[in-house]
Amino acid sequence: MSEDYRGRMLPARVTIHDVARAAGVSVATVSKVANGRYGVAQNTIAKVSAVIDELGYETSLVARSLRSHRTNVIGILVAGFEPFSTELLKGISAAAVGSGYELLAYAGALTDEARVGWERRSLSRLAGTLVDAAIIVTPTVQVAGAPVPIVAIDPHTGLGDVPAVDTDNAEGARIATRYLISLGHRRIAHVRGRGDLQSALLREQGYRESLAEAGIAFDPDLVREGAYWGKPTTRAAQELLSLPDRPTAIFAANDLSAVRVLDVAREMGIRVPEELSIVGFDNVPESATSTPQLTTVAQPLHDMGAQALQMVVQMLRRGELEQQYVHLPAHLVVRQSTAPAPSPAAIADAQSRAASQAV
């Protein structure tokens, strides 16, 4: 018996000796059955297996790895468990059913100090003893040369030397910006992601390309750094919505930023979508539960996760891949946060109302 943090007695972990004693066989026989080795009669296998199930015995992953050099576990390495990675995990988990592999989800960058290079630290802890292969979500550095097979999802450094799954970020941004232009918007701002990440650069590129395509001059004053998360996005939204000639639409580089823009607009008394249209990117669940519901560019997150799982299993079974890179399309999901651009009179009225509230 052992104690939990409150001092309560808990049952000890079931050992191989407990199974042997309950089944009336030797420890060596239990080991052979648990590890699928030959040399045990079928009736003994059935008897020992029943005891293993009844007692809940499980061999140590580390011990299993040392004996067979395999754990039958695939690691899912994420920086943190936020909406984007959680949706990917759902797709990975669904695809793993029936594959013969178990999953181990591991968050490797839960502090600001650990954000750069967290992938390598995580791999050094897990690879070879706990996991046979790894799916790394949005790696920030190149991870070629790892000791186990790896597939990257949405690598922030762009496509490199490891197999990867991503979405057409530039085209998704073009779709979002074209849609706002089709609604009559001309003052379209962009809250971008982190400037060192390829996904953010591609989304800004798509935004600029759609403006140029429509003959709208790019205005650097309408672009602010949002870094894909709260505080920088709050500052970006406040600056954009305080401009004398503020934008009538904002395309944010991800949904969490877009939802924060919604919050800031509400705090400033700006009505969405009557006075301001907002579009996000990702289509995480929060985009459908915001008020108003968020128009967004949907990444096929479940499909991305499933593709990554299938790729890594193929690498484990065959040692190679038929396709090194999978590039999936994005599409627009129109909800309640977008509307036709307000008329000049409506804009003037809104600005006058804001000025009077500020006095």
Side-chain angles (χ1 to χ4, degrees):
M1 300 286 283
S2 60
E3 293 184 358
D4 69 3
Y5 71 100
R6 292 178 177 173
R8 297 176 302 188
M9 299 306 294
L10 298 174
R13 183 177 185 270
V14 176
T15 69
I16 194 170
H17 296 280
D18 296 327
V19 176
R21 191 178 305 110
V25 299
S26 68
V27 168
T29 297
V30 176
S31 177
K32 288 180 180 180
V33 173
N35 292 286
R37 295 201 294 268
Y38 297 107
V40 182
Q42 284 300 318
N43 61 335
T44 302
I45 291 174
K47 180 181 180 180
V48 173
S49 297
V51 173
I52 287 173
D53 290 342
E54 179 183 349
L55 297 183
Y57 171 70
E58 180 56 79
T59 57
S60 160
L61 285 178
V62 174
R64 189 196 308 173
S65 154
L66 292 172
R67 284 193 303 269
S68 66
H69 305 292
R70 296 293 291 270
T71 64
N72 288 333
V73 175
I74 295 171
I76 317 301
L77 311 186
V78 300
F81 295 109
E82 38 69 48
F84 177 83
S85 61
T86 301
E87 291 305 299
L88 290 170
L89 281 166
K90 292 176 183 177
I92 294 169
S93 179
V97 174
S99 69
Y101 290 92
E102 299 174 4
L103 303 178
L104 174 65
Y106 184 89
L110 295 180
T111 65
D112 289 338
E113 295 78 15
R115 286 187 176 275
V116 178
W118 64 268
E119 308 86 349
R120 290 178 181 145
R121 289 189 294 272
S122 299
L123 283 170
S124 69
R125 292 187 177 108
L126 304 179
T129 55
L130 292 179
V131 301
D132 293 337
I135 297 171
I136 304 182
V137 177
T138 60
T140 58
V141 296
Q142 295 288 350
V143 286
V148 294
I150 286 175
V151 172
I153 297 180
D154 190 27
H156 279 168
T157 51
L159 298 180
D161 295 330
V162 301
V165 180
D166 72 355
T167 300
D168 193 337
N169 288 290
E171 180 60 18
R174 285 191 286 267
I175 291 169
T177 310
R178 285 174 188 148
Y179 176 66
L180 291 170
I181 292 169
S182 75
L183 292 174
H185 294 279
R186 292 299 179 268
R187 295 277 295 168
I188 303 172
H190 178 49
V191 175
R192 62 178 155 201
R194 279 173 43 193
D196 61 326
L197 303 182
Q198 186 70 9
S199 60
L201 298 176
L202 288 171
R203 291 172 196 181
E204 183 176 351
Q205 173 188 319
Y207 157 77
R208 291 192 186 210
E209 288 174 351
S210 285
L211 292 179
E213 180 185 276
I216 300 172
F218 171 71
D219 183 351
D221 203 34
L222 291 180
V223 176
R224 292 289 191 280
E225 187 82 28
Y228 283 145
W229 68 288
K231 289 182 180 178
T233 296
T234 297
R235 183 169 57 251
Q238 289 169 341
E239 291 175 359
L240 289 169
L241 298 178
S242 297
L243 291 172
D245 186 12
R246 74 184 184 215
T248 63
I250 295 178
F251 165 49
N254 72 341
D255 284 344
L256 296 186
S257 296
V259 170
R260 188 64 196 121
V261 173
L262 274 171
D263 293 339
V264 171
R266 185 181 303 110
E267 292 163 5
M268 295 178 67
I270 298 171
R271 296 175 299 162
V272 177
E274 294 86 355
E275 299 170 32
L276 176 71
S277 287
I278 302 173
V279 178
F281 201 113
D282 285 338
N283 197 31
V284 296
E286 284 78 357
S287 66
T289 58
S290 63
T291 304
Q293 292 181 330
L294 184 67
T295 294
T296 187
V297 176
Q299 294 198 71
L301 299 177
H302 291 188
D303 289 346
M304 291 168 69
Q307 287 277 0
L309 189 283
Q310 291 161 9
M311 290 168 71
V312 82
V313 168
Q314 189 179 112
M315 292 169 72
L316 287 168
R317 290 177 177 170
R318 303 181 189 176
E320 59 182 3
L321 277 174
E322 298 172 0
Q323 187 177 356
Q324 287 286 111
Y325 304 116
V326 175
H327 199 51
L328 297 175
H331 67 276
L332 186 70
V333 177
V334 177
R335 296 196 181 104
Q336 301 163 352
S337 67
T338 47
S343 66
I347 295 173
D349 178 64
Q351 290 174 333
S352 174
R353 187 173 67 253
S356 64
Q357 290 174 346
V359 173

